[in-house]
Amino acid sequence: MKGNIVIYGNIYTVDKKNPVASALAISDGKFVYVGDEEGVKEYIDKDTEEIRYDKGIILPGFGEGHGHIAPGGTEALFFVHLNPMGTLEEHLAAIKEFIEKHQELDVIQGSGFIPTPDMGPNGPTADLLNGMTDKPIVLADIGHHSYWVNHAAMERLGIDKNTPDISDGIITRDDEGNPTGYFREGAMDLLKELTVFSVEQYKEGFLHYQEEYLANGETLILDPIINWDTTDNAALACHELDMEGKLKMHVYAAYQVFQAAGHDTMAEIEHAASLREKTRGRMFELSNIKIQIDGTMPGTPSTAYMKQPYTDPWSVEHKHHGQLRFDMETLIKIYKKSHELGFTVHAHAIGDGALCMALDAIEKALEQTGPHDYRDAITHLQVVDRADIPRMAKLNVIASTDPHWFDMDPDYFGMMVAVLGEERAEDQLPMKAFFDAGVVVTSASDYPVTNPAYPLIGIQKGVLRQLPGRPDTLHGANERVSIEQMIEATTINEAYQMLCDDRLGSITVGKEADLVVLGDDITKCDPEHIQDVPVLGTMVGGEWAYRKEII
Ligand SMILES: [Zn+2]
């Protein structure tokens, strides 16, 4: 067998059986040889293209364990982007400018604000947006855990004082019970109808994301909520791109299900199964069920679910632990049903209480279904009770961590201490502890919550746990991991999480030829320099999906 392409260089395979190589051959989109230069000779004939990289490193294509490309790609094109550190006045000016520029849009959407005191004591209000436009305005906060909307948005959907409260969210109201325009967690669903994008818009959004991230070495991604706007449009868009041969990244997706009133959780899982059959292709597969067990923090009040109450005065008074979006009985049913239908479950847990609950549910579901290679993942893992980590290893639950979040600005850390207390704030966002316990660890960014979310930025953050050149932002030095562990988390472990490690995730004979060529060896360079290392080329299935112009 002759190779179509032979590449020489410093090859770091992430294959434990054959960890380093100096030559590889690719034929029909797959690696057919990985070894030394002598051995590759027999794969060369007159038609073989030979490429030599004298410096740098060649790695398997990078993965993203949790990146919301459905909203992210479209947002990049069709959203007003608010600066999280901006003032209310700056937000209003940005929204005004966007409305003037985008007369074609029927709904004005945006994201990026942080609810600050100048917006009002109970979060931002519709009144603040008066006089801007007659069209609905829907703005997501930076973490996408709340919407700030105008009166036109509420009027279009008939939301008023008679709208009943939501069991897994908060409709902020004034003294008379009128919604003020600030909808949190499950209450965001009331507005979803206004946030729908068309299949065409999603296609544009995906292509936009793909171009940017292939140029940064990413070849594999899990979109954790493909039904972001409650429609099937994003899944259908991925499928169409796949059929048209335009999807150059491997995209796995999760379908989010809910328990709140108005949702039939089991029917939603069944719908996901039929959508999976309808959309499965070479580069796209709906393979996960997503559940959001708790909320986020800090907030007024915080909604991530803790074993011990929060420490801010209001929470102490109310013994507030956060908010759960599922009860245990339903969680067990979700795991069981998902497993029966061949789905992996991807669970959002920010608080230690939510993590523990997920593990209890998995344990109980497995008692009923028997052990199987399900590879359920739990993501975010911000506050973790160390006692639960060995349980994750035992249940083969993947830790989908967010290295992109590992730095801690002193001001932000102060906010976290206020709600968590010193000890829990200090102990947030572990990574090494998972590796040490034998848990499979993956790397995620939660894009577009993190934006940009390039893999090399995540790798540097995981190794240093501080912002570039900012030692004052170092958080949890004893949770720093090695560069080798970060590479593992960003390649083979991502493929393991997405159940495609038999064909992706390492440079191994027989696997699809996905790789990234970096201009510097990130295993040897100054870690402060990792995120600046140029990506020289990204290959998917033996074809260059990106190649840097060499000037
Ligand atoms: Zn997310």
Side-chain angles (χ1 to χ4, degrees), residues 66 68 224 290 348 380 446:
H66 180 120
H68 298 278
K290 163 80 188 290
H348 161 124
H380 303 323
D446 209 16

Side-chain angles (χ1 to χ4, degrees), residues 36 160 323 357 359 370 395 440 491:
D36 60 17
D160 58 24
Q323 192 178 32
M357 204 173 157
L359 295 175
L395 293 166
V440 176
T491 56

Side-chain angles (χ1 to χ4, degrees), residues 182-196:
Y182 187 42
F183 296 80
R184 302 184 57 203
E185 305 294 347
M188 296 167 76
D189 278 5
L190 293 171
L191 280 307
K192 285 283 181 191
E193 215 179 299
L194 295 178
T195 65
V196 173

Side-chain angles (χ1 to χ4, degrees), residues 307 355-361 363 386-397 439:
K307 287 187 175 178
L355 166 61
C356 186
M357 204 173 157
L359 295 175
D360 289 346
E363 204 165 56
R386 301 299 162 125
D388 285 325
I389 296 180
R391 296 181 66 203
M392 293 176 75
K394 190 167 151 250
L395 293 166
N396 194 26
V397 169
V439 176

